[in-house]
Amino acid sequence: LEAESVAQSLDDPVRLGRVQLWIGRAHYYGGKLREAIGYFQKVLAVAPMLGDPELLALPGAVIGRVLFMQGQFQKSLQLLDQAIPLLEAAKNRHEMLFAYIYRGASRTCLGDYSAGLSDLKSALKIARLSQDQNAEAMAHTGLALAQMFAGNYTAGMESAQTALAVAEKSGDAMFRYSSNSFVAWALAGLGKFPESLKHWASARDAAKPLGGRLLFRESFAAIEAETLLQAGDTNAALSQAEEALTLAKVAGSAIAEALAERALGRTLTAIPDRVGEALAHLSKSSTILEKIGAKYDLARTMLAQAKAQIACADRSGAAKTLKNTVSLARECKLEAEESAARALVAELGNA
């Protein structure tokens, strides 16, 4: 880029670091996560030698956010653990807000919901002190994300509706898009599928003026596919799941890919002449989720995997999967998933 070339010609490492930081953030907000990480890593590599506190704190904080988007939760957590004390020392409240949101979400995805909630309450406190409505909307959105991953859909709905009320008042298209998506996700989790689809449609309408790639778009696409399936529109669900998988691979997001593989596997399970294809997709989803430590969604995928095994007449395989599902769901306090798994165990035993 021209700006980077000019900065390099000036032989000013601090200025070059700031330009690279700016380019990285531009890539991040444009949804180009791989490119963003590349620039932030350039800055992070030289920051300790430049004596600039901002260059030391910001790259790690933003790389942590990007890694979260890619589903690399443990790496995200490690970087944010390092960045937060530096941001607090610099009193950079704007970046502290994001750091606490993403660390809280990472902790939740890794199975530590209570620690995640603690971080998100800190983010909400920072947002309220700023007296900035968009900051509050962002904090409530982060809270909704953690609550949804942990299966607390009622609380997630409340957080998402709070964020949506702010977004509707301010007219901010990005927050209208994200808040409607989270409300749709919560409604689907609560079994209200027709209402959920209305909010997915509202999210798409809100996204039209934004253009380009949208944060969480690939994950939302997978969750919407599962909503379509549960609403009874198998053909639309299949098309949406396939699109979600393509989006996830383009974005390089492991969590989105796992969610898309699950959506595709669940949908194929519902198509009698294609049920044999389902297990490969569900197995891929489980493998990814186990690798990145996403315990809550691993439990959900294992439950879907057991249902596919039952549909394929693999009773012994299903029994083994269900045993592991019950154990993990209990550990994660996912009552609905544990109950569903136990019910299937009972059905297998009575058949």
Side-chain angles (χ1 to χ4, degrees):
L1 291 176
E2 185 178 349
E4 187 178 13
S5 297
V6 171
Q8 286 171 333
S9 70
L10 296 174
D11 194 26
D12 183 342
V14 173
R15 181 171 295 182
L16 176 60
R18 289 188 177 279
V19 169
Q20 290 172 332
L21 181 64
W22 175 81
I23 295 171
R25 295 184 78 162
H27 283 309
Y28 171 75
Y29 288 117
K32 298 178 180 178
L33 302 186
R34 290 190 185 96
E35 293 88 340
I37 282 184
Y39 273 97
F40 291 136
Q41 286 176 332
K42 287 181 182 179
V43 181
L44 201 58
V46 299
M49 297 178 285
L50 300 179
D52 187 306
E54 186 177 41
L55 291 182
L56 195 60
L58 289 183
V62 187
I63 290 175
R65 287 152 60 178
V66 175
L67 290 172
F68 173 83
M69 301 293 295
Q70 293 184 324
Q72 298 185 54
F73 304 128
Q74 191 61 55
K75 291 180 180 178
S76 172
L77 181 58
Q78 288 170 354
L79 277 174
L80 292 169
D81 278 343
Q82 294 168 16
I84 284 176
L86 296 171
L87 294 171
E88 288 177 338
K91 297 182 180 179
N92 187 333
R93 286 187 175 179
H94 176 76
E95 291 298 333
M96 282 167 58
L97 171 69
F98 284 102
Y100 274 115
I101 288 172
Y102 280 89
R103 188 173 73 172
S106 291
R107 284 175 159 173
T108 298
C109 289
L110 290 167
D112 195 346
Y113 184 38
S114 61
L117 284 181
S118 177
D119 273 344
L120 287 155
K121 287 176 182 177
S122 295
L124 194 55
K125 182 178 179 180
I126 292 168
R128 286 170 174 161
L129 286 172
S130 72
Q131 297 184 327
D132 180 335
Q133 282 193 330
N134 283 342
E136 283 204 46
M138 187 69 207
H140 282 291
T141 298
L143 188 57
L145 174 65
Q147 290 163 332
M148 237 76 81
F149 269 121
N152 193 350
Y153 299 112
T154 300
M157 167 71 88
E158 184 178 341
S159 297
Q161 287 179 323
T162 301
L164 181 57
V166 174
E168 295 291 0
K169 185 177 179 180
S170 69
D172 186 286
M174 179 59 79
F175 283 122
R176 286 181 56 239
Y177 155 73
S178 61
S179 299
N180 271 295
S181 298
F182 281 115
V183 170
W185 186 358
L187 286 166
L190 293 169
K192 299 179 180 181
F193 306 118
E195 295 95 324
S196 174
L197 290 175
K198 290 178 183 177
H199 280 279
W200 285 124
S202 295
R204 283 195 298 276
D205 287 341
K208 286 177 182 177
L210 297 172
R213 288 190 61 253
L214 300 161
L215 295 180
F216 294 116
R217 179 188 175 193
E218 47 277 352
S219 293
F220 285 149
I223 297 164
E224 184 179 1
E226 291 192 315
T227 307
L228 288 163
L229 173 65
Q230 291 166 297
D233 194 341
T234 307
N235 290 335
L238 183 60
S239 176
Q240 179 76 0
E242 290 171 339
E243 181 185 352
L245 187 56
T246 299
L247 289 170
K249 289 182 177 179
V250 170
S253 173
I255 182 62
E257 184 178 351
L259 295 178
E261 290 282 12
R262 183 178 70 207
L264 195 50
R266 289 186 65 194
T267 303
L268 291 169
T269 303
I271 303 174
D273 60 350
R274 298 192 66 182
V275 67
E277 301 172 48
L279 282 171
H281 293 285
L282 292 165
S283 177
K284 180 69 179 293
S285 177
S286 289
T287 298
I288 295 171
L289 292 167
E290 188 169 10
K291 182 178 179 181
I292 63 177
K295 292 183 177 180
Y296 294 108
D297 276 295
L298 178 57
R300 296 180 184 110
T301 296
M302 288 166 61
L303 179 60
Q305 201 168 356
K307 291 178 180 179
Q309 288 170 318
I310 291 170
C312 292
D314 181 6
R315 293 169 56 82
S316 62
K320 182 179 178 181
T321 302
L322 287 168
K323 180 181 178 181
N324 293 333
T325 303
V326 168
S327 177
L328 183 57
R330 187 191 308 118
E331 178 189 337
C332 294
K333 299 179 181 179
L334 291 173
E335 294 179 3
E337 286 78 1
E338 182 182 352
S339 176
R342 289 187 182 281
L344 287 174
V345 170
E347 286 179 25
L348 285 176
N350 294 328

